[in-house]
Amino acid sequence: VFHGGSGSDVSDIQEAIGYGVIKMNIDTDTQWSYWEGIKNFESKYHDYLQGQIGNPEGADKPNKKYYDPRESMRAAETNTVNRLDQCFADLKCTNILGLGAAEEADNVLGPRRGGLPV
């Protein structure tokens, strides 16, 4: 087990794999990536998150789609998925089962279904 894998250099991770490490703890990375998704969402839509009504598009424009907590949670989840993809690549754990690349999910909210772009 590679304890303390979060924040480790990719070359160190891959060297450890060469020595036979088959498990790496990444909890700190996933906690940070979730938080970072929320932080980036707030930064991106800051001016839309100051009140229920009124934003850079107009004083009478509603902000409900921005302060809906599902939007910031979706940004957190998307950021975490991206971080996990990077972890899997660092650990050389992608496309090793012969299943091919995963198909794009079509059962999620996104820009084409009314959600905000992340």
Side-chain angles (χ1 to χ4, degrees):
V1 175
F2 190 147
H3 292 281
S6 295
S8 296
D9 189 70
V10 175
S11 63
D12 292 335
I13 293 168
Q14 293 181 350
E15 181 179 354
I17 292 169
Y19 294 136
V21 168
I22 58 170
K23 180 182 183 281
M24 185 177 85
N25 296 335
I26 57 171
D27 184 54
T28 302
D29 280 351
T30 56
Q31 288 177 5
W32 178 259
S33 66
Y34 197 89
W35 160 245
E36 185 181 46
I38 294 170
K39 181 174 70 81
N40 292 345
F41 181 89
E42 193 285 330
S43 178
K44 182 176 182 178
Y45 295 113
H46 178 81
D47 293 342
Y48 296 83
L49 299 170
Q50 302 308 304
Q52 291 182 343
I53 305 291
N55 61 51
E57 297 172 23
D60 61 341
K61 297 291 184 178
N63 296 316
K64 184 173 180 171
K65 67 182 179 182
Y66 298 97
Y67 65 75
D68 181 339
R70 293 170 291 190
E71 294 293 343
S72 59
M73 295 300 105
R74 187 171 71 85
E77 291 166 355
T78 298
N79 202 60
T80 300
V81 166
N82 293 338
R83 181 62 186 108
L84 288 171
D85 283 344
Q86 183 60 52
C87 287
F88 300 152
D90 293 349
L91 292 167
K92 299 182 180 182
C93 292
T94 56
N95 299 321
I96 61 170
L97 296 177
L99 301 175
E103 294 181 17
E104 184 75 24
D106 61 0
N107 63 340
V108 295
L109 288 176
R112 67 185 181 280
R113 293 197 177 175
L116 295 171
V118 176

